[in-house]
Amino acid sequence: MGSAVTANGLDGVVVAETRLSDVDGERGRLVIAGHDVEELALRASFEEAAALLWNVPVEVAKNGIAEGRARAFERLGKLGDALELEGGMDAIRAAAAHFTEANGFGGAPAITGALAVCAAAWARKRRGLSPVAPDVSKGHAADYLRMIAGEGLDEAKAAALDAYLVTVSDHGMNASTFAARVVTSTGSDLVSAVVAAIGALKGPLHGGAPGPVLDMLDAIGSPANAAAWIEGELSAGRRIMGMGHRIYRVRDPRAAVLEKATQRLEKAGLSTGRLALARAVEAAAEGALRAKYPDRPLRANVEFYTAVLLDTVGLDRAEFSPTFAVGRVAGWSAHVEEQRAVGRLIRPGSRYVGAAPSSPAH
Ligand code: COA
């Protein structure tokens, strides 16, 4: 582990070696398990991406995730009031805590399947509907949508959601992944690592932004209002959701993937009209941020088009962040395996800036 303390705390300090993903912030390149995100997300299913991350045959990932969904559904009655919690991230965090190694959820495919079932069951509850049982013959993305919408499968929507889940499946040493690795490094179990990661992902600076992006698009309403609205937010000292990134100095490559996947949905006749608005808002926000921070490129991040894509496939904004976790759990659990193999406690240091004791050192 590196030891430098940078102006931004731990920025850039290498805390692990990984074969899972690489983020090149200068060039805007994301490699997931040896594949560019653009190439992987628009051709591979979530199960195929998970298999790459977990280094297992696709059938093992596919069957394991499906079986995880089926077994998790059987346990829904044993989750206390977790799924009645108002916030989706609170609900899946509380629900996930019940899926332990002892009850058969110690492996990556099982917890990945379980998280989708919990997120879908919570989404149904908040809509006043009872949970829908999984169909293990379906792909994970398609079944997740089915468990929420409870109706016939729309191939185009399932394909778009697949592209989304692959796109967000892993992303270097982000905050939630680091949290999962820290927990694992103490010798703790997979579920504890996933619960910690969900807590980190919940924050608006990490995975909590896509809902507010949609709120912003609603507030702006039409492309003609974009520039004035953005200016108003910036002069009030507020951040524009879906813009900026700690690592990327160019447009987040995942924004392009999700924009393309949403465009495919429009071509399939599924439009909410928000893609055109989003593009206008992105252009206005980019211009205004460039004027305000000429030395700091602040471009669209993954959350910007996540909001438009997930809205178009029919999810409510409250369901966006839990759906992020449904995809990212593949990466978290792969990092847990990798960290276990390292077998060493992560114990960063801190620089003491508090008061000195009055007595001399012993
Ligand atoms: N809107 C307005 N101003 C922003 C901004 C945004 N989206 N993102 C960064 N800035 C500002 C910061 O406030 C800072 O200004 P200051 O120097 O006057 O304090 C300046 O730009 C430089 O910020 P930077 O150091 O690049 O930001 P960061 O690395 O600390 O933050 C994010 C990165 C992602 C947390 C930040 O861009 C943000 O809050 N974005 C909005 C939330 C979001 O989309 N989150 C999802 C991330 S995938």
Side-chain angles (χ1 to χ4, degrees):
M1 197 184 296
S3 61
V5 178
T6 67
N8 269 329
L10 280 172
D11 273 10
V13 174
V14 172
V15 295
E17 283 188 349
T18 183
R19 60 157 201 89
L20 300 171
S21 62
D22 185 42
V23 184
D24 180 340
E26 297 298 326
R27 289 190 294 167
R29 185 173 197 189
L30 168 60
V31 173
I32 300 178
H35 300 263
D36 275 307
V37 67
E38 294 87 348
E39 178 260 319
L40 191 65
L42 296 171
R43 75 153 168 85
S45 67
F46 175 69
E47 289 90 329
E48 286 167 332
L52 286 171
L53 289 167
W54 300 336
N55 203 16
V56 298
V58 175
E59 282 311 301
V60 170
K62 203 167 178 241
N63 295 338
I65 294 171
E67 197 192 312
R69 291 200 305 274
R71 286 196 289 114
F73 189 77
E74 286 166 17
R75 292 195 68 81
L76 277 185
K78 297 180 177 158
L79 305 181
D81 62 359
L83 298 178
E84 267 127 54
L85 295 175
E86 198 183 330
M89 295 302 273
D90 293 335
I92 63 166
R93 191 191 57 231
H98 289 258
F99 292 93
T100 65
E101 211 162 330
N103 58 37
F105 289 86
I111 195 71
T112 298
L115 219 53
V117 167
C118 295
W122 173 81
R124 296 283 293 177
K125 269 199 197 294
R126 66 178 286 279
R127 295 169 184 211
L129 301 164
S130 22
V132 169
D135 176 347
V136 294
S137 71
K138 300 255 183 301
H140 193 58
D143 206 24
Y144 178 59
L145 269 187
R146 222 194 101 259
M147 287 188 289
I148 293 178
E151 56 195 38
L153 175 65
D154 183 307
E155 298 284 353
K157 287 184 183 176
L161 188 67
D162 235 339
Y164 169 74
L165 295 178
V166 174
T167 300
V168 301
S169 61
D170 202 44
H171 196 243
M173 195 52 60
N174 58 85
S176 57
T177 298
F178 185 47
R181 288 191 80 128
V182 169
V183 170
T184 304
S185 83
T186 69
S188 189
D189 58 304
L190 171 65
V191 171
S192 299
V194 167
V195 168
I198 293 171
L201 187 71
K202 178 184 172 188
L205 303 188
H206 189 6
V213 167
L214 207 57
D215 295 340
M216 168 177 73
L217 295 181
D218 284 351
I220 292 175
S222 105
N225 303 332
W229 193 91
I230 297 281
E231 282 304 337
E233 289 297 288
L234 289 181
S235 29
R238 286 189 283 269
R239 293 191 174 204
I240 310 302
M241 290 292 121
M243 300 297 294
H245 198 273
R246 176 59 60 85
I247 305 291
Y248 290 117
R249 293 294 173 271
V250 292
R251 194 174 190 240
D252 184 334
R254 299 168 299 173
V257 175
L258 300 182
E259 186 184 9
K260 200 177 272 180
T262 311
Q263 209 171 347
R264 283 185 180 177
L265 278 171
E266 291 213 334
K267 283 192 182 136
L270 294 157
S271 174
T272 59
R274 285 199 171 104
L275 184 57
L277 175 61
R279 285 172 166 153
V281 172
E282 181 189 1
E286 205 180 298
L289 288 167
R290 195 183 308 115
K292 187 167 181 193
Y293 300 101
D295 301 326
R296 174 67 170 104
L298 295 166
R299 310 274 308 270
N301 63 47
V302 64
E303 311 287 30
F304 202 89
Y305 288 96
T306 289
V308 191
L309 184 148
L310 294 184
D311 175 51
T312 314
V313 301
L315 299 188
D316 288 349
R317 64 199 79 194
E319 294 153 11
F320 292 177
S321 294
T323 304
F324 192 167
V326 166
R328 181 57 61 83
V329 67
W332 291 334
S333 45
H335 279 272
V336 165
E337 272 306 306
E338 216 175 47
Q339 188 61 42
R340 269 188 190 147
V342 173
R344 198 172 156 73
L345 181 70
I346 296 177
R347 176 58 167 92
S350 49
R351 188 194 292 131
Y352 181 64
V353 293
S358 49
S359 54
H362 307 294

